[in-house]
Amino acid sequence: MHTVVVGTSGTTAEDVIAVARGNARVELSAEALEALGRAREIVDALAAKPEPVYGVSTGFGALASRHISPELRAQLQRNIVRSHAAGMGPRVEREVVRALMFLRLKTVASGHTGVRPSVAQTMADLLNAGITPVVHEYGSLGCSGDLAPLSHCALALMGEGDAEGPDGVVRPAGELLAAHRIEPVELREKEGLALLNGTDGMLGMLVMALADLDTLYKSADITAALTLEALLGTEKVLAPELHAIRPHPGQAAAAANMAAVLKGSGLTGHFQEESAPRVQDAYSVRCAPQVAGAGRDTMAHAALVAFRELAAAVDNPVVLPDGRVESNGNFHGAPVAYVLDFLAIAAADLGSIAERRTDRLLDKNRSHGLPPFLAEDAGVDSGLMIAQYTQAALVSEMKRLAVPASADSIPSSAMQEDHVSMGWSAARKLRTAVDNLTRIIAIELYAATRAIELRHGLTPAPASQAAIAAVRAAGVQGPGPDRFLAPDLAAADAFVRAGALVAAVEPVTGPLA
C-alpha cells in the first residue's frame, strides 16, 4: 500500500487524495517528530510560568481573559473539544473527513502547534486503522478554523463520540480504538485548541474538487466537440492562431482539446452544403473554448491558493522558531473560501453552456437536419425531450449554488469572532455543484452521441468513434424507440464520473490538457 510521509513543510494535493480516497498509510517523518518535541518543550515551559498565555493557560475566544490554574488545564482542553463538537445535520462523506484529519495532522507535524508527538502519532494511527469520526454537515463558520468538524475528529482521538470503522459500521469511538489497540489521548495544555483551529475541511474539499473538475473540464471539451460534429459545425474556430491573439492559457488548451477530438471528422465543414448556409455557429458551440478556458484559468488560480495553504501551518496561537508563542489570524478561511465560490461560478457557467448545446441538438429548427428531440418517430416518441428538462433543472440549481457563501458573515463568540469566512459552506455547495456538473455533461454526451449516430452516411472523427464505442460498451444505449430513460442517464453519469470518457478518447488524441 502507498505510504504518505508527513514532514514539517506541508503536503501535496496528490498526498491528500491518496489518503482521503486511496486509503494510503500515513507516517510521521523523523524530522516532524523532532520538531514536535522541540515545540512541546516551549509550551511546557510557558505553562510552568505564572504569566497567562493564550491557549496554554487561559480560556478561549471571548473567555480568553480568564487565567486557568494548572490543575484545571487538562479539563479545559477536554472541555473545548466536547463543547465544540456541536455539529448537526447529515454525516459528511468519509473522504472529506479523512482529508480533514490528514490536513490537521499536516499542520500539527509542522512543529508550530505545540502538540506532543504522541498525539500526532495517534492521529496517524486513526487514519491507518480506517477509523473515521462522524462529522456533521453544519457547524463551521470557516473562522477559527472548521471548529465543529475538527472537534468531532478530536473527540474520537479522546475515545469519545461516534466513528465509522473500516467495515463501514458506526460504533462508539472508544470501542473502535480499543479494537485497534489505540490508546485514547489525554489532552494537555494547548492541545485541544491546536486540534480545532484549521481550515482543513474546506481545504480538503478544495483539493478534491480541483481533481474532479480537471477531469470534468476535459470531458466537457469532448462533449462540446461531439456536439459541434453532430450539428455539422466548423472546426475552423479552434485554430491555434485565433487563440494566440487572445492569450488566455485555458482558452488555448480547451480549443486544442476540441481540435484533437475533431481531427479527421467527416461531419465538420458542411456550412455551404445546406439550403440555408451558415456563416457562424451559435455562441454555445463557437465560444466553447472561451467559456471552458476561463474556467480552467479559474482552476489554476484556485490550485495556487491550495498549494500555498497546503504548505501552511494554520493554528492560533503558533509556536515560532525563536520560541515565541504568538496569537494570529491565520485560521481565517477567506483565501480558501473565495476560490471555492469562484469555482462554483465557473462550474455553473460550464453547465449552462453545455445545456444550451444539448437544447440545440434537440430543436429541429436549429439542429440542421436532425429529427425533433432525436426521437425515432417524433410524435409517437418523445426522444430526449425530458432529458433536457433534467439538465435544465440541474443548471438552475447550479446557478443558485453559484451565489457566494463568502460574501456573508455572521458574528459569533460574543462578537469576539465578528467576521467569519463561511468557507466550509462554500466548500459544501461546491461539492454539490461538481456532482451536478457531472450529470449535465453526461446528458450532453448522451444527446451528442445519439445525434452523431443519426447522421447516416457521414463518418465521425476517430476520437468520436472511440467515445461512442466506449459509452455504448458501458451500457448507454443508442438511437431507437422511447424507453425507460433514467437507467441510460445513470450509466452515462457513472461513465463520465469515473473519467472513462477522457480515458476512451486519449488513446486517439494523446493526453488532453
Side-chain angles (χ1 to χ4, degrees):
M1 182 182 290
H2 177 58
T3 298
V4 171
V5 178
V6 183
T8 60
S9 56
T11 190
T12 66
E14 292 76 16
D15 283 347
V16 174
I17 292 170
V19 173
R21 292 178 168 172
N23 299 315
R25 286 188 58 79
V26 176
E27 290 183 4
L28 291 163
S29 70
E31 174 195 26
L33 291 169
E34 183 181 345
L36 283 158
R38 285 197 307 269
R40 186 63 209 181
E41 289 175 1
I42 294 170
V43 170
D44 286 342
L46 289 170
K49 293 183 177 182
E51 297 85 7
V53 177
Y54 176 71
V56 176
S57 53
T58 71
F60 310 117
L63 303 176
S65 59
R66 178 178 171 182
H67 182 246
I68 307 298
S69 59
E71 66 273 12
L72 294 176
R73 289 175 189 170
Q75 181 182 340
L76 169 70
Q77 299 300 322
R78 287 194 302 271
N79 285 352
I80 190 175
V81 172
R82 289 169 176 165
S83 66
H84 285 44
M88 293 184 73
R91 281 181 59 192
V92 171
E93 304 85 356
R94 180 178 185 271
E95 67 177 18
V96 172
V97 180
R98 284 185 63 83
L100 174 78
M101 295 167 68
F102 173 68
L103 287 168
R104 196 69 214 139
L105 177 59
K106 174 268 298 183
T107 282
V108 166
S110 70
H112 290 294
T113 68
V115 168
R116 287 169 294 155
S118 60
V119 176
Q121 185 58 57
T122 304
M123 296 171 75
D125 291 343
L126 254 68
L127 285 165
N128 292 338
I131 297 172
T132 308
V134 171
V135 172
H136 299 279
E137 181 83 14
Y138 302 106
S140 173
L141 299 181
C143 202
S144 278
D146 291 317
L147 286 174
L150 282 163
S151 297
H152 283 276
C153 293
L155 198 67
L157 287 175
M158 294 163 51
E160 300 180 18
D162 293 326
E164 178 186 300
D167 58 359
V169 177
V170 175
R171 298 165 57 190
E175 291 182 15
L176 285 167
L177 266 62
H180 290 84
R181 299 179 181 177
I182 299 171
E183 285 292 322
V185 167
E186 291 283 346
L187 297 175
R188 288 173 47 183
E189 290 93 343
K190 192 178 181 302
E191 290 180 332
L193 186 62
L195 294 175
L196 315 186
N197 248 320
T199 55
D200 309 290
M202 64 183 91
L203 176 59
M205 287 185 273
L206 172 60
V207 168
M208 289 186 284
L210 285 168
D212 294 339
L213 287 168
D214 180 67
T215 298
L216 288 176
Y217 270 82
K218 293 173 185 175
S219 300
D221 291 340
I222 296 168
T223 58
L226 293 172
T227 297
L228 186 151
E229 270 193 300
L231 293 172
L232 306 178
T234 178
E235 78 284 13
K236 291 182 178 180
V237 295
L238 306 174
E241 57 269 24
L242 292 174
H243 299 279
I245 61 175
R246 194 189 190 194
H248 294 291
Q251 177 179 322
N257 285 349
M258 289 182 65
V261 173
L262 292 170
K263 186 176 181 181
S265 174
L267 278 77
T268 59
H270 291 270
F271 276 22
Q272 304 306 316
E273 297 178 16
E274 300 181 42
S275 57
R278 281 172 283 164
V279 176
Q280 297 175 326
D281 284 315
Y283 282 11
S284 60
V285 177
R286 186 176 9 134
C287 301
Q290 284 76 10
V291 172
R296 271 188 170 77
D297 292 341
T298 300
M299 287 172 57
H301 171 60
L304 177 60
V305 171
F307 172 79
R308 291 168 176 163
E309 198 76 357
L310 288 167
V314 178
D315 193 18
N316 178 51
V318 292
V319 181
L320 295 174
D322 61 8
R324 286 180 295 147
V325 175
E326 296 286 359
S327 293
N328 66 92
N330 283 343
F331 50 72
H332 200 288
V336 183
Y338 292 169
V339 294
L340 287 162
D341 279 333
F342 200 177
L343 288 172
I345 292 168
D349 201 32
L350 187 66
S352 179
I353 198 170
E355 183 276 328
R356 287 294 79 206
R357 291 192 295 263
T358 303
D359 181 67
R360 187 164 288 272
L361 288 168
L362 305 187
D363 184 351
K364 70 180 182 65
N365 296 312
R366 296 180 290 137
S367 66
H368 309 289
L370 290 169
F373 303 105
L374 306 180
E376 175 87 356
D377 183 5
V380 174
D381 295 318
S382 294
L384 306 192
M385 179 189 295
I386 308 304
Q388 184 267 330
Y389 282 39
T390 300
Q391 197 183 38
L394 289 163
V395 169
S396 182
E397 179 170 296
M398 288 195 70
K399 291 175 181 177
R400 294 192 296 274
L401 294 168
V403 176
S406 58
D408 187 28
S409 176
I410 298 180
S412 56
S413 191
M415 291 300 287
Q416 175 71 7
E417 298 169 11
D418 58 351
H419 186 275
V420 296
S421 77
M422 304 307 296
W424 173 273
S425 299
R428 296 306 295 164
K429 69 184 182 64
L430 177 60
R431 283 182 70 83
T432 304
V434 169
D435 275 348
N436 285 353
L437 180 60
T438 307
R439 299 180 181 107
I440 290 164
I441 293 170
I443 292 172
E444 183 181 16
L445 173 67
Y446 187 52
T449 53
R450 178 186 280 217
I452 288 173
E453 288 178 311
L454 291 172
R455 292 291 189 189
H456 304 297
L458 296 173
T459 304
S464 302
Q465 294 178 49
I468 293 169
V471 79
R472 297 289 173 259
V476 182
Q477 299 183 56
D482 279 358
R483 56 183 173 268
F484 181 23
L485 209 56
D488 272 2
L489 298 181
D493 174 36
F495 184 77
V496 172
R497 194 173 297 274
L501 177 57
V502 177
V505 164
E506 286 190 326
V508 180
T509 61
L512 297 177

